[in-house]
Amino acid sequence: MNGSGAMNGALDGAVVAVAGAAGPAGRAALLGLAEAGATVVGADADATRLAEAVDAARYAHGGATVIGDTVDLLDLAATRAWADKTEKEFGRIDGLVHLVGGWRGSASFAETDLADWDLLEKLLIRTVQYTSLAFHEGLLRSDRGRYVLVSAAGAAKPTAGNAAYSAAKAAAEAWTLALGDAFRKAGGEEGPRAAAAILVIKALVHDAMRAERPNAKFAGFTDVTDLAEAIVGVWDRPAREVNGNRLWLTPEP
């Protein structure tokens, strides 16, 4: 993958943290950011899968600095400690990419299980709250700070069986837009130096999914490598252009 960030050096020397780095999207993001010139610090609660993801990115891009930290992102103090440690170790923090995911749904609205909400509220909202609060000050100190949330089109157009998931995604978007407003206000008349942006997809697909379901079309799905390229691209654009905006990778409903 040759993201445009790799060509113009928008991420050269940058330090970017990736929350939820052990999944397929996280693996693609670690590699894409490293290829674009960033030092990448991935965090996940699953130490084994995180180590595998970090090793894969290192081997795929020789010379890249990719490290992994096992962090409980449902612990605000631990999340703040991770942000502080990262900035102290590398002297700066230029980005937080939020890839903590999860999905639960039901056959109909009436069959919604509120236990699904309890789980999704933690995974999709609480981790956004904690990472944004933990990294906010560091991103403001950067000359190219970016907070990147990956959201779903369902947040704007919920379906009956996805009430909990869509509501959680909508709340995460609102929280991120509030962060963007904080960046706007901090920038004053010169405009924001940091930006909070939302990348909106329908759903993600990766090679293992295709192997499991060779006849599936996955229509409208975004490949994790394309998502990684779009993440890198957030740094290619001025903060004023992406801050507080939804950047659609799927047709807007």
Side-chain angles (χ1 to χ4, degrees), residues 88-228:
K88 184 176 181 180
E89 183 172 345
F90 295 103
R92 59 188 299 127
I93 183 70
D94 303 293
L96 185 289
V97 178
H98 186 278
L99 293 173
V100 182
W103 179 84
R104 293 289 187 279
S106 57
S108 69
F109 180 80
E111 293 172 87
T112 298
D113 184 348
L114 288 177
D116 291 345
W117 170 260
D118 293 338
L119 173 68
L120 295 172
E121 185 271 336
K122 292 183 177 73
L123 292 176
L124 305 184
I125 304 174
R126 197 69 60 82
T127 58
V128 171
Q129 293 172 327
Y130 288 178
T131 53
S132 59
L133 289 169
F135 283 85
H136 168 249
E137 296 297 326
L139 295 177
L140 279 176
R141 285 188 283 271
S142 168
D143 60 348
R144 47 185 153 169
R146 301 286 188 273
Y147 186 97
V148 182
L149 176 74
V150 177
S151 190
K157 193 173 183 180
T159 55
N162 278 317
Y165 177 78
S166 298
K169 281 293 192 183
E173 286 194 6
W175 188 274
T176 303
L177 294 174
L179 174 64
D181 191 52
F183 288 154
R184 180 188 63 80
K185 288 175 177 173
E189 292 182 3
E190 295 179 5
R193 281 163 46 92
I198 300 167
L199 296 176
V200 187
I201 60 170
K202 175 182 177 182
L204 290 173
V205 64
H206 51 86
D207 289 344
M209 288 172 63
R210 293 190 181 95
E212 289 172 8
R213 299 170 59 195
N215 296 322
K217 300 290 187 188
F218 298 110
F221 284 40
T222 299
D223 191 279
V224 291
T225 57
D226 294 327
L227 175 65

Side-chain angles (χ1 to χ4, degrees), residues 230-249:
I231 289 168
V232 169
V234 173
W235 274 267
D236 290 340
R237 297 163 66 177
R240 186 193 297 270
E241 191 176 306
V242 296
N243 184 51
N245 285 328
R246 293 177 179 87
L247 311 175
W248 290 81
L249 305 185

Side-chain angles (χ1 to χ4, degrees), residues 52-67:
E52 292 170 354
V54 167
D55 285 346
R58 284 178 181 161
Y59 290 136
H61 190 72
T65 300
V66 185
I67 65 172

Side-chain angles (χ1 to χ4, degrees), residues 3-90:
S4 53
M7 291 184 282
N8 68 12
L11 276 165
D12 282 341
V15 178
V16 180
V18 178
R27 284 180 174 236
L30 292 180
L31 178 57
L33 290 162
E35 285 182 333
T39 291
V40 194
V41 184
D44 204 279
D46 189 323
T48 301
R49 291 178 68 222
L50 177 62
E52 292 170 354
V54 167
D55 285 346
R58 284 178 181 161
Y59 290 136
H61 190 72
T65 300
V66 185
I67 65 172
D69 288 324
T70 305
V71 182
D72 180 3
L73 297 172
L74 290 173
D75 181 329
L76 179 57
T79 307
R80 287 190 189 277
W82 176 49
D84 293 344
K85 172 191 160 196
T86 301
E87 188 174 9
K88 184 176 181 180
E89 183 172 345
F90 295 103

